Amino acid sequence: MKSGMKYLRYLRLWAAALGLALAASAHAAPDTIRIGVASAGGGDPLTFGGSPGGVARTNSWLEEEFKSSGIKIEWLFFKGAGPAVNEALWNKQIDFAYQGDLPQIVGRSNGLKTKLLMVSGARNNLYLVAPPKSDIQSVKDLKGRNVSIFRGTNGHLVAINVLAESGLTERDIKGVNLDAGSAQAALVSNGVDAAFGGYEWFKVRDSGLAKVVYSTQGKDPALTRQASLLVRSEFEQANPAEVQRVVDVFVRAAHWSSEEKNRDELFRLWARSGTPVASWAAEFDQQPLAIRNSPLVDDFIVARYKAVVADALKLKLIRREVSIDDWFDTHYLKAALKKQGLENYWTAYDAKGQPKAGQSVAAR
C-alpha cells in the first residue's frame, strides 16, 4: 500500500516536472528571427527604402534590440517580390514578411496562416512611363501597346484601375510580366512601349531614358498601394514577446520617419538601397511624411484591403472570397503606441482616405 502511494506520488512529480519542461520548451525564444522583404534590395549590406522598415534595417535597430537576448536577425530580400515572399512563408523560411496588399491577399486566399500587425508604407504612388520620344501621352494611348506590369504585386491592381479610369482593360493592352529591373532594361531597349511601376522609375527619368506619362500622386487615395508587416501565425503563437519587440522597433522607425525634421536624413538613409535621394524627394513631393509612414490600421487601410479582395476576386486573381476582419491583429501595435507615448501622434483616416471627424493632419 505504502509502496503504491510512493509510486503514485513519484508519477505525479514526474508529470509535473515534464509539464514544466514542456512549457519551458514551448516558450523558448528563437535563435533567429527572419524577415522577408518583397524587394531585391540594394546597397551593401542589402537594404530597402520607401518604408520605415528600411530605417530599422539600415540603422540595425532590430539587431540592437535583440543583441542582449542572443537572438540573430536575418533579413532576406526577394527579387520576385510579393509572390516569392509568399512561397517563403509557405516553406517556413521566414517569420515576418514585409510586402504589398495584393500578394498578402493572394497568400491568405491560398491558406497562408498569417496576422497583419501594422502598416509600414502607406499610399505608395504608381507611375506610367514611356521612352522619351514615344508618342504615348496618356493612359488612353496604351491600347494595343506592349506594356510592362509586374503581375501579382501591389501595383498590379492599381494599374488595372488606372486603365479602367481611361476606359481600358488589361485585355486592351499587350501585358508583359516583368520585375522592376527587367522592366527598366526592356523599356530602355525598346522591348516594351511603356511600363507601370513605382519610385524606381525616377532614376531612369532623371537619366533622360524615360518620361513619366501618368502619376497617381495627388489623385484619389484609392489609386495607391499599401504595404504592411505580417507574421506567420505559428511563429506569433509561440513567440508573442519577440513579436512585440519587433513591432516596438517598427513603430519607433515609423515615428522617426514621420518627423519632418528628419526628411533629408530619411531620404539619405533610403538612398543606401541604390535609389537616389532625388527619387525619394520626387516620390514624397508635397506629401507629409506622417501620412505615408503611419503604422495605423485605420478605416482607410481596412477599406483598401477589402477593395483589393473584391478586385482580385473579380479579376480571378483569387478563387474565393477572403475574410479579413479577423486578420488584423493590432494589439501589439496598440501596446507599442502606448509604451512610446504615440497614441495620438498619427491621424486616423476614414474609408475614403480623409481625416476622421475631429482629427486634423498636424505638421510634424
Side-chain angles (χ1 to χ4, degrees):
M1 182 73 174
K2 289 183 179 179
S3 61
M5 292 181 67
K6 288 181 178 179
Y7 180 69
L8 181 60
R9 187 179 305 150
Y10 167 78
L11 285 178
R12 287 173 177 170
L13 290 172
W14 178 83
L18 178 61
L20 289 173
L22 289 174
S25 175
H27 293 91
D31 295 327
T32 304
I33 293 176
R34 303 160 301 172
I35 305 170
V37 181
S39 167
D44 183 18
L46 279 177
T47 187
F48 63 111
S51 161
V55 172
R57 162 61 173 169
T58 304
N59 286 334
S60 300
W61 285 352
L62 280 174
E63 288 79 357
E64 291 175 3
E65 169 65 27
F66 287 97
K67 184 177 181 179
S68 62
S69 303
I71 298 175
K72 180 183 177 182
I73 302 297
E74 185 176 352
W75 296 82
L76 295 96
F77 293 82
F78 295 85
K79 183 181 179 181
V85 168
N86 281 345
E87 185 176 347
L89 284 168
W90 266 116
N91 294 327
K92 299 183 180 180
Q93 295 172 329
I94 56 176
D95 308 306
F96 292 85
Y98 168 75
Q99 62 183 163
D101 45 33
L102 176 59
Q104 290 173 335
I105 292 296
V106 171
R108 184 168 174 81
S109 74
N110 288 327
L112 267 181
K113 302 298 183 183
T114 59
K115 291 185 176 182
L116 195 155
L117 301 172
M118 59 180 287
V119 176
S120 189
R123 304 191 187 210
N124 294 288
N125 300 306
L126 188 76
Y127 306 96
L128 173 66
V129 299
K133 296 182 180 180
S134 171
D135 62 350
I136 295 175
Q137 301 296 326
S138 69
V139 176
K140 293 181 179 180
D141 296 330
L142 295 180
K143 190 170 184 178
R145 305 293 188 103
N146 294 316
V147 183
S148 170
I149 298 180
F150 197 173
R151 293 195 175 99
T153 66
N154 66 350
H156 186 183
L157 284 183
V158 177
I160 291 174
N161 289 331
V162 168
L163 289 170
E165 278 199 333
S166 293
L168 300 177
T169 68
E170 199 170 3
R171 293 183 178 181
D172 292 317
I173 65 172
K174 297 176 182 177
V176 183
N177 184 25
L178 297 173
D179 61 43
S182 299
Q184 291 175 356
L187 188 85
V188 171
S189 64
N190 295 312
V192 294
D193 300 308
F196 282 104
Y199 54 76
E200 68 274 5
W201 283 104
F202 285 119
K203 182 178 181 179
V204 184
R205 181 201 66 179
D206 294 344
S207 298
L209 298 174
K211 64 179 181 180
V212 176
V213 175
Y214 172 89
S215 167
T216 62
Q217 194 173 113
K219 295 182 173 62
D220 186 348
L223 294 175
T224 60
R225 305 171 290 154
Q226 323 308 319
S228 54
L229 183 68
L230 295 180
V231 64
R232 279 193 304 110
S233 296
E234 184 179 1
F235 181 89
E236 183 271 333
Q237 291 166 7
N239 305 284
E242 286 69 35
V243 172
Q244 184 64 68
R245 292 170 71 181
V246 169
V247 172
D248 288 348
V249 170
F250 267 74
V251 168
R252 174 190 171 193
H255 177 229
W256 188 90
S257 303
S258 295
E259 291 280 281
E260 288 296 335
K261 66 183 180 181
N262 296 330
R263 179 177 285 258
D264 292 343
E265 180 60 22
L266 174 64
F267 295 164
R268 283 193 290 269
L269 282 177
W270 284 346
R272 296 185 190 180
S273 66
T275 300
V277 168
S279 296
W280 297 119
E283 165 70 11
F284 282 74
D285 184 41
Q286 298 184 39
Q287 298 170 79
L289 294 179
I291 293 179
R292 296 289 303 275
N293 293 321
S294 169
L296 302 185
V297 181
D298 55 20
D299 292 347
F300 172 71
I301 295 298
V302 174
R304 291 317 310 144
Y305 271 88
K306 289 186 175 181
V308 168
V309 170
D311 287 346
L313 192 63
K314 180 174 64 177
L315 295 167
K316 298 182 180 180
L317 299 177
I318 57 176
R319 297 180 179 180
R320 60 184 179 84
E321 184 72 40
V322 179
S323 172
I324 63 173
D325 290 328
D326 61 345
W327 186 28
F328 303 107
D329 185 351
T330 59
H331 86 273
Y332 293 106
L333 172 61
K334 291 176 181 177
L337 294 174
K338 184 175 182 179
K339 185 186 304 182
Q340 298 177 41
L342 299 171
E343 292 170 290
N344 299 309
Y345 180 83
W346 286 282
T347 299
Y349 290 84
D350 63 22
K352 293 183 178 180
Q354 301 303 314
K356 296 185 74 170
Q359 296 203 38
S360 61
V361 182
R364 304 299 182 190

